[in-house]
Amino acid sequence: MLDRYSSMSGPHIKYCLLSCMALAGCAANPPTPGNSPTGSQNFIDSTSTAVSEAAVGLTTRRPIAHPPALKAHRQGELDQPPTDLWDRLRRRLVLSDAEHPSIDAEVRKYTSFPLTLEKASERATPFLHMIVAEAERRDMPSDLALLPFIESAFRPRAVSTSSASGLWQFLPTTGERFGLEQNWWYDGRRDVHSATRAAFDYLAYLNGLFDGDWMLTLAAYNAGEGTVLKAIKRNREHGRPTDFWDLKLPSETRAYVPRLVAVARIVQDPTAHAVQLASIPNESLLEIVDAGDQIDLAVAAELAELGTTDLSRFNPAFNRWATPPDGPHRFLVPPENAAALRSALVDLTPQDRSRSLTYRVAPGETLSGIARRYRTSTAELKRINGLKGNLIKTGDKLMIPATTVARVEPDSTVAKRDTQPQTPSRTYRVRRGDTLWGIAQRHGVSHKEIARWNGIRTRATLRPGTKLAIHRNSDSTIRVRADGTVQKLRYRVRRGDTLLHLSRKFRVSVAELRRWNRLGNGSLIRAGQTLVVHVNGTQMS
């Protein structure tokens, strides 16, 4: 089943990576047989001449060969345009007509649990068009566009037990081999656009290696070409056929290829198999927008008039709050949001690309401790602040990326202080260039609160001159610095609160809470008591 991808996807990429690198003479320390999760001896090293490509009559980099079915599709162009993306994909399927009992068994598994494919097809909706288009651009069967169903159930953030990641489940070293950069900021294996290109590069290489046989290509994608080459050599030595069905391959691989064929067969005629695939229009649902330079993801989402959750869903490769300093800086966004983002980027100043907090170092604090609190790294704090060492002293000011600050838990008084808004503390007149996020920062409230108080969307475009009501609830009193970040918040203790609980809510230490409120080590807090908490503006968002 697709939801069990973690048990099947990591190992097969591991096999094909190591055996591929070995064939290319890149494996400095080839793994020993029997180390694979399946226990199969499916590795060869650069010195293994007995199982070389020449020994089985194969050479690398042969032109891609297409089965007769695909040629027939190309030669007999259909008069009617595709009704949707699934219809477009079906016209280039070449494996769905294959017959074998193991395929029938895989079809029965899927049809017994139709929601497995149906949910995966919903997750595939934003991404499948670019994958189908890549297959067509390379003149390769559209069956290959269905591989993410098998690999990750179309979960871009899928991670296997072997650390394979992304829609196509690349291991770190496999990803590097095919140009997928991975660092503290970014993991190209989760970049749907880049990983799709890399996966088709790998499949094209394998198809050339196996003389255009797509069954052997898929088997090698799962188990590694070394394993398949060994099986071919063994059969030839014993005068047996060398097609996929006659090779002695790992049990996982023997199920993997029929599983893809089963998915192709169901996609070919979902109604006959009682499966309902989510309708996908035959058009690009995502466009690439290059921001040109490093930019906070929160800023990009706001400029694109897109929620940060959606931006992250379409761009899961970014590990941190911003794009990497050295790139890539491109985003996948829906067409309507792409237009808004491109337009907003034209007038964006370098200062507007990032939102950082100014943090004053308290007695006894260390750089590593501050980094842990704000979920960043010591190295990044040093880079941002131009520090050569780890030494900091009381009173030093540090710049901290604003979007690394964890939000206050949703059940806190701070997050709920607007449930019964009082008379507006003030009415704010929108100025040119204002955003809800920026206004919220200046007033120590959440942009969602402002939107709710004024009956507007959180992504609404603000027009200069518009008046916005800014409320404040009596449960908390906020003092705001001139730069818009919160200096102090007076918090009214609720029943059941403890200092430990509050320290976790506000991401501060118990010792700090005691010091700010002159509480002794044995002091208890009680409901109705007012505490002073030093927080930052982004903790209110």
Side-chain angles (χ1 to χ4, degrees):
M1 293 176 58
L2 286 176
D3 286 334
R4 298 178 59 190
Y5 67 87
S6 61
S7 64
M8 69 177 76
S9 57
H12 69 259
I13 297 293
K14 179 177 181 180
Y15 302 157
C16 59
L17 153 72
L18 293 173
S19 53
C20 276
M21 294 182 68
L23 280 171
C26 298
N29 297 295
T32 56
N35 285 344
S36 67
T38 60
S40 59
Q41 297 184 11
N42 55 351
F43 300 101
I44 62 173
D45 61 31
S46 56
T47 62
S48 181
T49 56
V51 195
S52 66
E53 297 154 15
V56 292
L58 296 174
T59 58
T60 61
R61 302 296 182 187
R62 292 190 180 185
I64 295 175
H66 301 290
L70 182 54
K71 292 179 180 178
H73 281 308
R74 288 205 306 272
Q75 292 166 0
E77 291 291 335
L78 298 178
D79 295 332
Q80 298 298 323
T83 56
D84 65 2
L85 186 61
W86 293 114
D87 186 27
R88 175 178 171 180
L89 186 151
R90 291 183 191 108
R91 300 182 183 200
R92 295 177 58 86
L93 291 174
V94 302
L95 302 178
S96 58
D97 293 334
E99 297 289 344
H100 195 272
S102 60
I103 299 174
D104 299 333
E106 294 295 333
V107 170
R108 285 193 295 271
K109 290 179 184 178
Y110 281 123
T111 53
S112 296
F113 300 94
L115 283 178
T116 303
L117 274 179
E118 291 171 3
K119 290 181 178 180
S121 70
E122 293 175 1
R123 290 190 290 268
T125 297
F127 309 116
L128 190 58
H129 184 276
M130 74 172 69
I131 299 174
V132 172
E134 183 68 11
E136 292 178 355
R137 185 180 72 82
R138 295 172 181 253
D139 204 17
M140 295 166 75
S142 59
D143 306 71
L144 306 179
L146 303 176
L147 271 176
F149 278 103
I150 310 301
E151 293 291 341
S152 61
F154 264 99
R155 293 184 175 95
R157 294 183 181 275
V159 179
S160 77
T161 55
S162 299
S163 298
S165 186
L167 286 186
W168 300 92
Q169 290 291 278
F170 278 101
L171 269 178
T173 41
T174 318
E176 290 175 3
R177 178 187 174 199
F178 287 93
L180 298 178
E181 187 176 357
Q182 301 149 65
N183 52 49
W184 191 76
W185 291 92
Y186 167 85
D187 189 340
R189 298 174 300 162
R190 298 199 305 266
D191 185 324
V192 178
H193 179 264
S194 296
T196 296
R197 171 196 52 76
F200 276 91
D201 283 347
Y202 191 17
L203 289 163
Y205 160 77
L206 292 173
N207 194 249
L209 176 63
F210 291 101
D211 205 18
D213 189 313
W214 287 108
M215 291 291 197
L216 295 181
T217 297
L218 293 168
Y221 189 82
N222 175 258
E225 60 261 47
T227 299
V228 179
L229 289 170
K230 279 185 178 181
I232 292 173
K233 178 178 181 293
R234 187 165 47 243
N235 275 27
R236 284 187 174 168
E237 289 175 344
H238 291 84
R240 293 197 291 262
T242 58
D243 64 284
F244 169 77
W245 303 110
D246 290 291
L247 297 180
K248 186 177 181 181
L249 295 168
S251 57
E252 180 186 331
T253 307
R254 294 191 63 79
Y256 178 88
V257 176
R259 187 172 296 127
L260 179 66
V261 178
V263 172
R265 186 184 292 181
I266 293 171
V267 167
Q268 184 71 62
D269 192 353
T271 303
H273 295 91
V275 174
Q276 294 181 345
L277 299 177
S279 178
I280 304 177
N282 183 28
E283 60 187 38
S284 178
L285 299 182
L286 294 173
E287 292 184 10
I288 298 176
V289 178
D290 195 329
D293 204 346
Q294 187 174 33
I295 186 171
D296 280 16
L297 303 188
V299 174
E302 186 174 303
L303 297 178
E305 301 179 1
L306 190 68
T308 53
T309 300
D310 285 335
L311 186 74
S312 178
R313 179 164 65 95
F314 300 142
N315 302 275
F318 297 118
N319 297 329
R320 306 298 166 186
W321 66 92
T323 59
D326 300 324
H329 308 298
R330 62 178 179 270
F331 295 96
L332 285 174
V333 292
E336 60 273 20
N337 303 98
L341 180 56
R342 290 191 185 99
S343 176
L345 285 169
V346 173
D347 299 322
L348 195 66
T349 65
Q351 292 76 21
D352 291 335
R353 286 179 170 268
S354 65
R355 291 169 178 158
S356 298
L357 302 176
T358 300
Y359 181 85
R360 188 181 295 275
V361 177
E365 287 190 309
T366 63
L367 199 62
S368 60
I370 295 171
R372 283 195 299 273
R373 175 185 299 177
Y374 289 100
R375 298 186 179 183
T376 185
S377 70
T378 302
E380 182 56 19
L381 285 183
K382 289 167 63 177
R383 189 191 71 81
I384 291 175
N385 292 278
L387 300 176
K388 295 182 179 179
N390 294 331
L391 183 63
I392 56 175
K393 60 182 183 295
T394 302
D396 282 352
K397 292 182 179 180
L398 298 176
M399 296 299 294
I400 297 175
T403 48
T404 65
V405 183
R407 295 184 176 184
V408 178
E409 294 176 9
D411 66 343
S412 71
T413 298
V414 174
K416 292 186 176 181
R417 63 184 180 279
D418 62 301
T419 53
Q420 295 180 347
Q422 311 299 317
T423 302
S425 300
R426 63 169 297 186
T427 299
Y428 179 82
R429 187 183 295 273
V430 175
R431 293 173 292 184
R432 186 177 299 277
D434 273 347
T435 63
L436 277 184
W437 194 93
I439 296 171
Q441 284 285 94
R442 288 196 291 274
H443 293 87
V445 295
S446 165
H447 71 289
K448 293 181 180 179
E449 291 171 339
I450 297 178
R452 185 162 55 251
W453 293 334
N454 292 274
I456 60 177
R457 296 184 300 111
T458 56
R459 292 180 285 172
T461 300
L462 301 181
R463 297 184 181 278
T466 302
K467 293 181 179 180
L468 297 177
I470 308 294
H471 295 284
R472 182 170 298 157
N473 185 281
S474 60
D475 280 347
S476 60
T477 304
I478 302 171
R479 184 182 304 167
V480 183
R481 296 191 186 103
D483 64 359
T485 58
V486 175
Q487 184 179 25
K488 290 182 181 179
L489 179 145
R490 296 191 180 278
Y491 175 83
R492 182 173 295 174
V493 178
R494 303 164 67 185
R495 186 179 300 276
D497 279 344
T498 65
L499 287 177
L500 179 61
H501 176 61
L502 295 180
S503 73
R504 290 173 177 171
K505 280 187 178 182
F506 295 103
R507 299 298 190 268
V508 296
S509 68
V510 172
E512 287 173 327
L513 287 174
R514 292 188 185 280
R515 185 173 70 252
W516 294 333
N517 294 278
R518 299 181 180 179
L519 300 174
N521 288 336
S523 300
L524 299 177
I525 57 176
R526 63 185 183 279
Q529 181 178 354
T530 299
L531 297 179
V532 172
V533 183
H534 294 247
V535 293
N536 284 294
T538 51
Q539 288 177 291
M540 302 295 105
S541 60

